[in-house]
Amino acid sequence: MSGASLPQACAAMLRRDLTLAWRRRGDLAMPVLYAVIVAVLFPFALGPDLALLQRIAAGVVLVTVLLAMLLALDAMFASDIEDGSLEQLVLSPQPLAPMLGMKILAHWLATALPLIVVSPLLAGMLHLPAAAMPALLLALLLATPLLSLLGAVLVALTVGTRRSGMLLALMLLPLCVPVVIFAAGAVAAAQQGLPWLAPVAWLAAALILAVVLAPLACAAALRIALDS
């Protein structure tokens, strides 16, 4: 990548990470399988109360997708640390932040996008009204990359830490709460026939801010973690 331009290097990084993810596609199926199992078990636990299932459907889907993403978040840089490519990336002449942005994008495409694809199935099993489905999908399309960006910064801070999964979950939880609140609020408003674009606009604004700042913060955190 040293002789390539920045767009070429970013495209090569995205292709590399997606290719590696495809080779480990068995691991990629675990978050989807987890989400499906949780969504299937909820109606058995709560009973056949249709009104109750409709009321909690959006929150269950959002929290399930969030927890499923958390399962794969800890492995975002794990293989790069093991083979030494992360240190080479830090020492490469290309700017680190855009390259990490491509790694975050690849991670979102490999883990969150399949969850978004199956989310209508999960919502249908919980009898979410069809009128609220567009709001749910749009909220997930904004909330999941935001969580990936925030999680990447925390993963970079805990690089090289043993058993960092629990620490990562504890640090990410306070950042997830506002995202879940706005996303669930948009779907709840859509279920009631109320305007629901305001919470989505807040999610979009937070996502734009995170797209700009999170790769920079991730690069700084990664340098600090590798130097220590």
Side-chain angles (χ1 to χ4, degrees):
M1 294 183 189
S2 58
S5 64
L6 181 58
Q8 291 174 333
C10 289
M13 177 62 69
L14 183 60
R15 284 195 304 270
R16 170 190 176 272
D17 280 18
L18 289 177
T19 301
L20 292 175
W22 177 250
R23 291 175 181 173
R24 300 190 304 268
R25 51 188 178 273
D27 295 338
L28 299 180
M30 291 302 298
V32 176
L33 183 61
Y34 168 83
V36 172
I37 291 173
V38 171
V40 168
L41 290 179
F42 256 93
F44 289 104
L46 297 177
D49 190 342
L50 184 60
L52 176 61
L53 291 175
Q54 288 179 338
R55 189 165 64 250
I56 68 170
V60 170
V61 173
L62 288 167
V63 173
T64 300
V65 170
L66 163 65
L67 294 178
M69 288 182 61
L70 192 59
L71 290 176
L73 195 60
D74 191 30
M76 183 179 292
F77 302 133
S79 61
D80 297 308
I81 295 173
E82 292 174 359
D83 60 18
S85 59
L86 194 60
E87 288 83 355
Q88 294 180 6
L89 184 62
V90 173
L91 297 174
S92 70
Q94 301 291 350
L96 183 58
M99 304 300 288
L100 292 177
M102 291 299 101
K103 294 186 73 65
I104 298 169
L105 176 59
H107 181 269
W108 179 82
L109 290 173
T111 58
L113 194 57
L115 291 169
I116 296 175
V117 170
V118 302
S119 62
L121 173 64
L122 306 182
M125 286 190 289
L126 296 171
H127 301 283
L128 181 73
M133 200 69 72
L136 175 64
L137 291 176
L138 185 56
L140 286 173
L141 283 171
L142 294 173
T144 51
L146 179 57
L147 293 175
S148 291
L149 288 162
L150 295 175
V153 178
L154 300 180
V155 172
L157 285 172
T158 58
V159 160
T161 304
R162 292 183 178 179
R163 297 178 181 178
S164 60
M166 182 62 68
L167 179 61
L168 180 62
L170 292 175
M171 292 192 300
L172 188 60
L173 179 61
L175 302 177
C176 294
V177 172
V179 178
V180 173
I181 289 174
F182 281 112
V187 182
Q191 284 184 262
Q192 299 172 13
L194 300 175
W196 50 270
L197 289 179
V200 170
W202 280 106
L203 284 175
L207 177 59
I208 293 171
L209 193 63
V211 166
V212 175
L213 297 179
L216 298 173
C218 187
L222 201 55
R223 287 193 176 98
I224 293 173
L226 292 177
D227 288 342
S228 59

